């Protein structure tokens, strides 16, 4: 298909979504009151939410979901520490990302749902937000919105930029179309050289790309107070062994059950902290645990000294990164099932070795780096995961070595945040900020 035709088709589909589907949803929201605020923001009506922002140049950060929101929060805190004279707006694609953003940045930024990538919604949102600088996170590439921002003369950059092999192969088929969209970004702060090479292959001038590393690998100092508070909430003693399984996906908890039955049988006093990626699955996971004879409690019900179960189900947003700090061992989900994996560096920031499955397509670089450092371990099944944990349990010297390697890896990653901050500050100055 001709690239210009493809662009026209994409724009037309956005208009159809806006003109046909959204009015029906709007009427439903008006009649029921459900999700009305979210829908208004999706349509670009966000002026009321911006009314309390200070009268300063605005930096608009756009994140997809939880992982990108964490990166955005790190960047906002870094810019605030530099006393950048700016007001911040953060838009998210998902409800889980929006909830976490309100937890992390409620008093530091206006938190909105992202507009639909249709001309009226994108144009209305851009006019309401009036950003001096737009920062897309990772692979947030929305052609219509970026075209509207370019038309308004807004400075645009892509921060913590990632281009997985899967995305690159898909984008190569529409190289001219996606290359034109990417050309809106004056600068790209890429995570790895591989990411930079893929962006270059899609038509971006290599001189506009800076390889910085990931702010997820350099997320600032560990919050020891938050970790200690969670340890107290979970009624953990210094001798308690804790296995944290984070960001698990549908079908994965079932694969973990044989592993946990074995670990409970062989490790006295073990506490299992299980954090499904999507909170709407909590009832489903609780039912699975009950059926398999594993009683559990939700984290939100614990206040210290009242944990009765060896299994705790995480039902709160924003706590997983600190929960890794109470872990003895960690498993990162989305990897025993084919979901591309999740951020395996979060546990390592606490000096905790991390296990993960073979499906790590979205985090190949992190997988390779952690495997080379001796802090990350790939397992093919729940049974293999149990063997890996028990090996470290039975060999304290091997476990101590893995912890030292994890801590060394975390220490070696510092610098990414400063690099990306420099890219942002340069773009902000070029856009008329100070």
């Amino acid at each position: 298909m001709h690239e210009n035709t493809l662009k026209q088709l994409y724009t037309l589909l956005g208009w159809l979504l806006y003109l046909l589907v959204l009015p029906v949803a709007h009427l439903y929201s008006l009649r029921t009151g459900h999700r009305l605020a979210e829908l208004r923001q999706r349509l670009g009506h966000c002026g009321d939410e911006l009314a309390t922002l200070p009268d300063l140049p605005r930096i608009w950060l756009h994140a997809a979901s939880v992982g990108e929101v964490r990166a955005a929060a790190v960047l906002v805190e870094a810019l605030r520490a530099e006393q950048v004279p700016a007001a911040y707006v953060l838009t998210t694609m998902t409800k889980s990302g929006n909830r976490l953003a309100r937890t992390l940045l409620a008093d530091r930024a206006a938190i909105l749902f992202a507009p639909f990538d249709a001309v009226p919604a994108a144009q209305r949102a851009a006019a309401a937000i009036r950003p001096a600088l737009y920062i897309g996170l990772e692979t947030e590439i929305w052609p219509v919105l970026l075209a509207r921002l370019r038309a308004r003369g807004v400075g645009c950059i892509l921060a913590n930029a990632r281009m997985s092999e899967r995305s690159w192969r898909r984008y190569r088929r529409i190289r001219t179309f996606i290359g034109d969209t990417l050309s809106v970004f004056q600068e790209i702060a890429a995570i790895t050289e591989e990411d930079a090479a893929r962006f270059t292959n899609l038509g971006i001038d290599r001189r506009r790309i800076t390889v910085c590393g990931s702010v997820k690998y350099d997320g600032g100092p560990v919050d020891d107070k938050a970790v200690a508070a969670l340890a107290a909430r979970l009624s953990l003693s210094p001798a308690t062994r804790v296995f944290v399984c984070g960001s698990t996906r549908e079908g994965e908890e079932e694969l973990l059950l044989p592993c946990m039955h074995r670990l409970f049988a062989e490790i006295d006093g073990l506490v299992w902290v299980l954090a499904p990626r999507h909170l709407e699955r909590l009832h489903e996971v609780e039912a699975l645990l009950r059926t398999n004879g594993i009683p559990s409690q939700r984290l939100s019900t614990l206040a210290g000294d009242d944990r009765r179960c060896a299994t705790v189900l995480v039902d709160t947003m924003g706590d997983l990164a600190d929960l890794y700090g109470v872990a003895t061992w960690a498993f990162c989900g989305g990897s025993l099932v084919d979901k591309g994996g999740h951020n395996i560096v979060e546990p390592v920031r606490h000096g905790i070795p991390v296990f993960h499955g073979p499906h790590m397509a979205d985090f190949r670089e992190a997988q390779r780096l952690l495997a080379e450092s001796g802090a990350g371990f790939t397992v093919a099944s729940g049974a293999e995961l149990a063997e890996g944990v028990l090996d470290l349990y039975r060999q304290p010297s091997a476990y101590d070595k893995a912890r030292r390697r994890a801590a060394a890896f975390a220490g070696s990653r510092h610098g990414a945040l400063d690099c990306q901050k420099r890219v942002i500050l340069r773009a902000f100055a070029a856009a008329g900020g100070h």
Side-chain angles (χ1 to χ4, degrees), residues 127-148:
I129 295 173
R130 294 181 288 106
L133 178 66
Y134 171 88
I135 303 173
L137 271 297
E138 298 205 4
T139 47
E140 283 303 285
I141 303 167
W142 296 100
V144 172
L145 174 61
L146 290 170
R148 294 301 95 197

Side-chain angles (χ1 to χ4, degrees), residues 209-227:
I209 303 172
T210 304
V211 177
C212 290
S214 174
V215 296
K216 292 181 179 179
Y217 301 169
D218 183 18
V222 168
D223 190 341
D224 292 324
K225 288 184 179 179
V227 173

Side-chain angles (χ1 to χ4, degrees), residues 34-320:
H34 295 162
R35 301 178 67 183
L36 184 56
E38 176 185 342
L39 183 59
R40 288 184 69 258
Q41 293 169 18
R42 299 285 194 194
L43 294 172
H45 295 286
C46 51
D48 292 346
E49 291 82 353
L50 302 170
T52 59
L53 286 179
D55 186 20
L56 293 168
R58 293 174 179 175
I59 296 178
W60 176 1
L61 300 98
H62 179 54
S65 190
V66 170
E68 295 82 6
V69 167
R70 288 195 179 281
V74 170
L75 290 172
V76 169
E77 293 296 348
L79 295 172
R80 283 169 54 85
E82 291 284 337
Q83 298 185 331
V84 175
Y88 300 94
V89 178
L90 175 60
T91 55
T92 71
M93 293 301 298
T94 67
K95 287 183 285 186
S96 58
N98 192 272
R99 285 194 298 266
L100 179 60
R102 293 181 184 281
T103 299
L104 298 179
L105 291 170
D107 59 342
R108 298 171 178 82
I111 311 299
L112 307 169
F113 283 99
F116 289 106
D117 203 37
V119 172
Q123 191 161 285
R124 190 178 291 121
I129 295 173
R130 294 181 288 106
L133 178 66
Y134 171 88
I135 303 173
L137 271 297
E138 298 205 4
T139 47
E140 283 303 285
I141 303 167
W142 296 100
V144 172
L145 174 61
L146 290 170
R148 294 301 95 197
L149 293 171
R150 172 159 52 188
R152 295 180 65 87
V154 176
C156 299
I157 65 171
L158 194 61
N160 219 47
R162 185 163 61 93
M163 178 62 67
S164 68
E165 184 173 358
R166 179 167 28 180
S167 296
W168 173 66
R169 290 184 184 280
R170 187 169 66 248
Y171 286 146
R172 271 197 317 178
R173 300 170 188 164
I174 52 171
R175 186 175 182 274
T176 303
F177 174 47
I178 202 66
D180 181 63
T181 300
L182 289 171
S183 70
V184 175
F185 296 114
Q186 287 97 331
E187 292 198 61
I188 294 177
I191 293 176
T192 68
E193 290 289 351
E194 289 84 354
D195 294 313
R198 289 170 186 152
F199 280 113
T200 302
N201 179 265
L202 293 173
I204 300 301
D205 187 334
R206 183 61 179 81
R207 290 171 296 182
R208 291 162 58 186
I209 303 172
T210 304
V211 177
C212 290
S214 174
V215 296
K216 292 181 179 179
Y217 301 169
D218 183 18
V222 168
D223 190 341
D224 292 324
K225 288 184 179 179
V227 173
L230 285 166
R233 193 169 169 186
L234 290 164
S235 308
L236 303 178
S237 73
T240 305
R241 292 178 172 89
V242 182
F243 188 28
V244 176
C245 295
S247 299
T248 55
R249 304 292 290 272
E250 186 174 2
E252 202 158 34
E253 294 88 3
E254 192 167 1
L255 297 177
L256 291 171
L257 289 175
C259 166
M260 294 314 305
H261 281 304
R262 185 172 179 196
L263 294 182
F264 280 132
E266 299 204 28
I267 302 176
D268 290 338
L270 175 67
V271 174
W272 183 24
V273 176
L274 176 60
R277 174 72 168 180
H278 300 120
L279 296 185
E280 55 266 29
R281 296 185 53 244
L282 285 168
H283 290 296
E284 167 195 330
V285 175
E286 283 176 318
L288 177 69
L289 296 176
R290 263 195 317 273
T291 301
N292 286 271
I294 300 178
S296 66
Q297 288 174 271
R298 293 192 176 195
L299 178 63
S300 64
T301 68
L302 301 181
D305 298 327
D306 57 359
R307 180 175 57 80
R308 305 179 307 279
C309 300
T311 299
V312 175
L313 198 58
V314 179
D315 62 338
T316 56
M317 293 295 301
D319 285 324
L320 179 59

